[in-house]
Amino acid sequence: MTGKSKKNQTAHKFGTFLGVYMPSILTILGLIMYLRFGWVLGNLGLIKTIVVVLVASSITFITGLSASAIATNIKVGVGGEYFMISRSLGLELGGAIGIPLYLCRTLSVTFYCYGLSEAILALSPIIGVVLPSYALQLMTIGFIIIITLLSGKSAKLVLHSQIPIMIIVGASILALVIGVFSKDLQTPIIEATYQTAPQGFWYVFAVFFPAVTGFTAGIGMSGDLRNPQKSIPRGTLGAVVSGVVIYLVIPILLAITGALTLEEMTNPEAGVTIWTRLAIFGPWIVYPAVWGAVLSSAFGSILGGPRILQAMSMDGLVPKFLAKLSKSGQPTIATWISGAIAVSAVFLGGLNTIAQYVSVLFLTLYVAVNMSAAIEQLIKEPSYRPTIYVPWYISILGSIAAMIVMWLINPLAFAFALGLELLIFIYLMNKKLEQQWGDASTGIWMHLGRYALLRLNSKKMHPRNWRPIIILFIRDLKEHIELVQFTEMLGQNSGLLTISKLITPDDKGELLLRNEVAHEMQKDLALAGLEALTEVHVVTDLKYGMNQVSSGHGIAGIKTNTVVFGWSSTESGKVKELEIISELARSGKNILVAHINKPFPKKSKKRIDIWWRGQENNGDLMVLLAYLIQLNNKWKKSTIRILSITHSEKEKQMLEQHIRFSIREARIDVKVIVILAKPKENVLDILLTKSKHVDLVFLGLARVNGKAKERVAFVDHILSKLDRVVLVQNNGMKSEIPIIFDPTITKD
């Protein structure tokens, strides 16, 4: 057993109440409840205040449901919301949300400690103490250090310290109830006045909304829970419902009290004094409750942030040492770094403005959680079987509502948040991260692929829709990377390439790891900057296997129509290859035999030669393949030449005329050269002389018809004399191959 495993075993695990419910409810019942509830009620009146509470809480409740659905479908590990999103939408999207979320949680420690320091220092004039100007920053740093040390030492210590805080907060609410009913009562304030909020309803809503956030504080403790699948839904939803009940009671109490005037209620500077004037024992119970609520929120942030960093470290998004745990199971290094960032943020200044950006970034988490649950429902993944069912449209509604709130809080911050996460996502996509789990993104592509295949299968394929759907048989991808590069060019813009490796039962090592072999091929392609499908087939015989695999390869409207071989290096292999080609010809597959003696040149102006002999029906396919290569960026400045050889002037004129006419109809820019051979001049010598230094040469591949051995020497001679040559055999039906040359004029 590893040291890491032993540490995990000694780490204390928490239940629903202490691990999820308590940090969540204490983060909900925070500063906004004490400082802004009176202001909200005075400006909106009781009815609209209740509407604000219900609408805001509905968004959090839907998000809580979505998070619960995801949590009950997977074994939730460390990292909370990041873990759930990355396992649902993939590592890239998880990282795009997780990195800003970590920064939000860490900077929140600074904000809460600032608030706590301000709340304490506000009493200094009352008790007659004069403090220096830097006292606020100094006290804030002190609180951050204390909170970091406690959380780094033990999560158990931190969570247990929240019990007395919860008692004090509960006592302050009870004191408010008793205080209101012990004073004069009045008819509730019903009508909205907007006395100090002329911006209107949605402005007040945006100010209040942060009061209902924070319910995910318990989710952040996922890795420290005994039973996350049970505790996360119960604790999270319990905290949201408890918060709603309390938030419906408080405005009713404030609306019916006769101890405050409307002007006092709407005064934005009144803050916590509204509570101290109404509650019994006033400042003696309310101030400690406010301090405790702020302190609890800071504890929730310092516990959740490092665990996100720990989870990202375990997934390879950040350095591995950040996942190191202490003997008590705490991510110690991640906690110290989070504390250092929080201390550094004290010197930023203008934290009120930054707070809006942090709030909006945090709200993108709501969008991601809801979208994760909705997508899991929509793609109908068989493995998605949560014990809490949430209809997809409810989760979508939660995402839309969260985005509206983001816009209401600050449109600029909304654009910044989405832009930042998009940049992180693009960066992580370019890193081509490797994840060890299945996610919904695969299911999305499966869903789209299924839809596309069904549509394709219902349509009759027309010649104008022809695409090169290619299978390349190869033994060693790295060794023949030039061949792969050439084949990939044919389908880079419009077709599809599958690289197939055949193994026999004798290849015992590869036989056991055939899935890993296909995955390694993908890695090799990525290193070369190429894209293709890879697959490994187990066959009893290579010759029989090539026929078997290629003849039935493909699905629905994406049937393989072209088979590519490299030219074998052994005599017996060459004979066998021509025999395979002869058999494949009967299945209607086009055949390409590509032989790359030298790497492709890096120059921009390249030349492609097509030799048209007029004996086989290969010319149209060769021209089309040359045109497809020309569509690639590195070949777009290349020139295509069609060359043919005749033995009479009359033949030469007719041939030239027919080819030019057909090329004009095909709208492909080529240069036509018809060579008049001398009576005793060898045609093959002309070909080798004219195309000796050409960048790519296309030649027709005659049908063998049982004469494979005789053809090997001839093919060998041509391939050995040219740098890069492709032999083409068109075996497709006329309805499957686009007509480049008019068959009524001439036949190739």
Side-chain angles (χ1 to χ4, degrees), residues 266-471:
T266 54
N267 181 8
E269 297 180 1
V272 76
T273 58
I274 291 175
W275 280 63
T276 58
R277 290 180 60 181
L278 294 177
I280 58 168
F281 307 117
W284 298 101
I285 193 167
V286 173
Y287 278 116
V290 173
W291 300 339
V294 177
L295 189 62
S296 176
S297 298
F299 275 136
S301 297
I302 198 63
L303 285 175
R307 282 159 174 78
I308 295 171
L309 198 62
Q310 176 193 353
M312 291 192 294
S313 174
M314 293 165 67
D315 289 341
L317 295 180
V318 293
K320 290 290 183 184
F321 70 87
L322 294 173
K324 186 178 180 181
L325 301 180
S326 67
K327 291 180 180 180
S328 61
Q330 306 310 302
T332 310
I333 297 177
T335 302
W336 301 151
I337 289 174
S338 300
I341 294 173
V343 169
S344 302
V346 172
F347 303 100
L348 288 176
L351 289 177
N352 288 337
T353 303
I354 298 173
Q356 289 187 338
Y357 286 82
V358 170
S359 297
V360 169
L361 274 169
F362 190 76
L363 275 168
T364 59
L365 171 69
Y366 284 25
V367 178
V369 169
N370 282 307
M371 288 304 298
S372 297
I375 289 170
E376 293 277 19
Q377 280 280 346
L378 285 168
I379 64 175
K380 296 178 173 60
E381 198 82 76
S383 62
Y384 187 67
R385 299 184 295 274
T387 55
I388 294 178
Y389 174 78
V390 185
W392 63 268
Y393 50 86
I394 297 295
S395 295
I396 291 287
L397 181 63
S399 286
I400 294 171
M403 285 191 283
I404 291 172
V405 172
M406 290 163 66
W407 179 265
L408 291 171
I409 291 174
N410 189 325
L412 186 61
F414 173 59
F416 168 78
L418 293 185
L420 174 64
E421 289 172 359
L422 181 61
L423 286 174
I424 296 173
F425 175 72
I426 293 170
Y427 169 74
L428 294 177
M429 284 290 290
N430 289 334
K431 284 191 72 175
K432 300 187 184 300
L433 300 167
E434 183 179 350
Q435 64 185 42
Q436 303 299 323
W437 62 87
D439 57 50
S441 63
T442 304
I444 292 171
W445 291 117
M446 286 284 288
H447 211 64
L448 292 173
R450 175 182 178 275
Y451 176 83
L453 288 172
L454 288 172
R455 299 287 82 75
L456 277 173
N457 198 48
S458 65
K459 292 182 176 291
K460 183 180 179 181
M461 296 301 289
H462 190 273
R464 70 167 294 180
N465 301 122
W466 188 89
R467 299 287 188 276
I469 311 299
I470 306 167
I471 183 169

Side-chain angles (χ1 to χ4, degrees), residues 7-243:
K7 286 179 182 179
N8 285 336
Q9 281 190 330
T10 58
H12 187 84
K13 297 293 183 179
F14 304 100
T16 301
F17 180 77
L18 198 63
V20 182
Y21 179 81
M22 194 168 65
S24 296
I25 190 63
L26 283 177
T27 309
I28 291 172
L29 304 178
L31 273 178
I32 299 295
M33 181 180 75
Y34 291 107
L35 300 182
R36 286 291 178 264
F37 234 133
W39 178 83
V40 171
L41 176 71
N43 281 288
L44 292 185
L46 181 59
I47 301 300
K48 288 186 177 179
T49 299
I50 290 175
V51 170
V52 165
V53 170
L54 291 176
V55 172
S57 299
S58 296
I59 297 172
T60 58
F61 186 71
I62 290 172
T63 308
L65 283 174
S66 297
S68 300
I70 298 170
T72 58
N73 185 65
I74 60 175
K75 187 177 180 180
V76 183
V78 66
E81 310 96 317
Y82 160 76
F83 184 93
M84 292 191 292
I85 293 169
S86 62
R87 268 57 180 176
S88 181
L89 298 182
L91 195 54
E92 293 84 4
L93 274 170
I97 297 294
I99 293 171
L101 178 60
Y102 164 71
L103 292 173
C104 288
R105 284 261 166 87
T106 304
L107 292 176
S108 294
V109 178
T110 308
F111 300 143
Y112 290 132
C113 288
Y114 248 113
L116 181 58
S117 300
E118 286 180 350
I120 293 174
L121 292 176
L123 296 177
S124 60
I126 299 174
I127 60 177
V129 177
V130 180
L131 296 171
S133 58
Y134 56 81
L136 177 63
Q137 286 82 4
L138 198 62
M139 187 176 288
T140 302
I141 292 171
F143 279 130
I144 293 172
I145 293 172
I146 292 169
I147 289 170
T148 303
L149 288 172
L150 286 173
S151 61
K153 181 69 177 174
S154 169
K156 181 180 179 181
L157 178 65
V158 171
L159 291 176
H160 279 283
S161 69
Q162 289 187 315
I163 295 175
I165 294 174
M166 190 171 183
I167 294 171
I168 295 171
V169 171
S172 71
I173 296 171
L174 182 61
L176 179 69
V177 175
I178 297 171
V180 167
F181 283 105
S182 63
K183 295 179 175 65
D184 293 336
L185 302 179
Q186 66 176 12
T187 304
I189 303 170
I190 300 296
E191 297 297 325
T193 63
Y194 300 114
Q195 284 191 11
T196 54
Q199 298 92 333
F201 176 85
W202 291 112
Y203 173 76
V204 179
F205 179 89
V207 170
F208 171 80
F209 187 79
V212 298
T213 62
F215 71 93
T216 58
I219 299 176
M221 297 297 296
S222 59
D224 298 81
L225 302 175
R226 284 193 293 269
N227 188 346
Q229 288 182 311
K230 176 183 174 183
S231 294
I232 288 176
R234 291 185 179 184
T236 302
L237 296 177
V240 172
V241 171
S242 299

